[in-house]
Amino acid sequence: MSNQEPETQQPETQKQETRKPYLAGISAPFEAPENPDLVIHTSPPLGSGNGGLDWNVVKTIILDNVNIIKNETDIYIFEPGYNNQSMPKKKIVNLTPARAMLLSALNSYLVLGYSANLLVAQKLAYFLQKLGEPLNLTFEKGFYGPYSHQLQHLLKYLNGFYCQFKHEETAPGTIVKLCYAEKIEEYCKNNLTCEQKERLNSFKQLIDGFESPYGLELLATVDFIRQQKGINNSDTIVKEIGNWTNRKKELMKPYHIEVANMRLNDFFYSKQEG
């Protein structure tokens, strides 16, 4: 008995070494148990669903790695479909110039390091159409500024292929992720006209300094009021924004409204007046 006792008492450093991850990436969660009393290990479909990885490939990697701990724990793997928020499978969606320009505008926004949501997508489309691209969208007065129901339908159509967001959610703050960015930019390079490419460049200049959900909402709201009410005075626009919603009244400060109005003057209306 005394000869066997040392074999059951491993030094602490040796125990720690057995707890290192066996593989990086997908296999990282499968380590030796931190708690020697741990008897259950559960795993989601890592990287699948919203992650876009092939579950058949991921499952093989998981099964290969769980062999390492199968004698120490009970293992439960929840395959795709267990979570009702997993992304629906979509057929391949073909690009058109209008779709590609909207997605490219979204990519330009993301490249700057900002996260995009459905509110941002609405405002990007609003200004692409404002710059002359015939997106055939009708914008109306919404709670967060100009809003298009047609665009919401388009985004749902693109969802699951060129972009991803929780398909059951339509809140403005719903995060939108872009997929196949290189393919989108390659399409724009090869299929857009020189005029359309210039619109994309103009779009980047227009939103420079307003690259946030608040900044885009502010800029679009001020422009929508100018078009609908036929006014250009900043003080009058401040009053109109105050009448839009209490949220806008509290959020959009007079100085911010003036700055946005000046940008629109410089970019659109001074040219028209000239």
Side-chain angles (χ1 to χ4, degrees):
M1 294 292 292
S2 61
N3 291 335
Q4 295 178 354
E5 187 175 353
E7 297 178 2
T8 61
Q9 296 179 352
Q10 299 179 15
E12 185 64 26
T13 55
Q14 184 175 348
K15 290 182 181 180
Q16 292 176 356
E17 290 177 356
T18 64
R19 296 170 182 172
K20 295 179 180 179
Y22 287 90
L23 285 176
I26 292 174
S27 58
F30 301 102
E31 323 176 323
E34 292 286 346
N35 185 343
D37 296 326
L38 180 66
V39 293
I40 296 176
H41 185 103
T42 61
S43 172
L46 301 167
S48 304
N50 290 341
L53 299 182
D54 186 339
W55 169 241
N56 293 323
V57 176
V58 173
K59 184 176 181 179
T60 300
I61 296 174
I62 291 176
L63 293 177
D64 288 341
N65 285 277
V66 297
N67 286 329
I68 301 170
I69 58 173
K70 68 180 181 180
N71 295 326
E72 300 171 312
T73 64
D74 291 332
I75 301 163
Y76 297 88
I77 300 174
F78 296 102
E79 299 195 10
Y82 176 81
N83 187 335
N84 61 9
Q85 290 185 352
S86 59
M87 290 298 302
K89 291 184 178 180
K90 296 292 291 285
K91 296 180 180 180
I92 293 177
V93 175
N94 294 322
L95 286 174
T96 64
R99 294 171 186 171
M101 289 182 73
L102 175 60
L103 293 167
S104 180
L106 183 63
N107 187 41
S108 298
Y109 183 88
L110 293 170
V111 166
L112 296 172
Y114 299 94
S115 61
N117 54 32
L118 293 179
L119 184 151
V120 167
Q122 284 278 341
K123 304 308 175 272
L124 299 184
Y126 176 83
F127 281 117
L128 278 177
Q129 185 159 285
K130 172 77 176 180
L131 287 163
E133 187 61 28
L135 301 180
N136 297 319
L137 300 174
T138 301
F139 287 90
E140 60 187 41
K141 184 178 181 180
F143 187 82
Y144 295 94
Y147 174 85
S148 171
H149 289 285
Q150 296 106 315
L151 178 62
Q152 196 68 19
H153 292 309
L154 173 60
L155 291 172
K156 286 184 177 181
Y157 176 71
L158 297 174
N159 187 26
F161 197 82
Y162 281 111
C163 63
Q164 287 189 346
F165 56 92
K166 292 182 179 180
H167 60 281
E168 72 278 8
E169 294 187 11
T170 57
T174 300
I175 296 298
V176 178
K177 297 181 180 179
L178 190 67
C179 307
Y180 306 112
E182 293 184 359
K183 182 177 180 179
I184 293 166
E185 297 305 329
E186 185 67 19
Y187 179 94
C188 290
K189 179 181 178 181
N190 296 329
N191 295 277
L192 297 188
T193 65
C194 293
E195 187 178 11
Q196 288 172 321
K197 292 177 182 177
E198 181 58 33
R199 284 182 188 135
L200 281 176
N201 290 330
S202 297
F203 163 81
K204 296 175 185 178
Q205 297 172 25
L206 171 62
I207 69 169
D208 182 32
F210 292 86
E211 303 99 332
S212 70
Y214 167 72
L216 290 174
E217 180 186 350
L218 170 69
L219 198 63
T221 298
V222 172
D223 184 73
F224 191 80
I225 289 173
R226 290 191 62 144
Q227 289 193 84
Q228 296 295 311
K229 300 293 184 178
I231 57 178
N232 57 20
N233 180 270
S234 294
D235 292 336
T236 308
I237 294 173
V238 169
K239 294 179 181 178
E240 289 293 333
I241 287 179
N243 293 329
W244 192 311
T245 62
N246 287 332
R247 172 187 171 276
K248 286 186 182 294
K249 182 178 181 179
E250 295 176 2
L251 185 65
M252 297 181 175
K253 306 305 180 184
Y255 173 71
H256 295 165
I257 295 171
E258 182 179 1
V259 171
N261 196 33
M262 290 173 60
R263 171 60 59 86
L264 294 167
N265 270 333
D266 294 340
F267 215 88
F268 293 114
Y269 300 104
S270 61
K271 299 176 183 178
Q272 294 177 1
E273 293 170 0

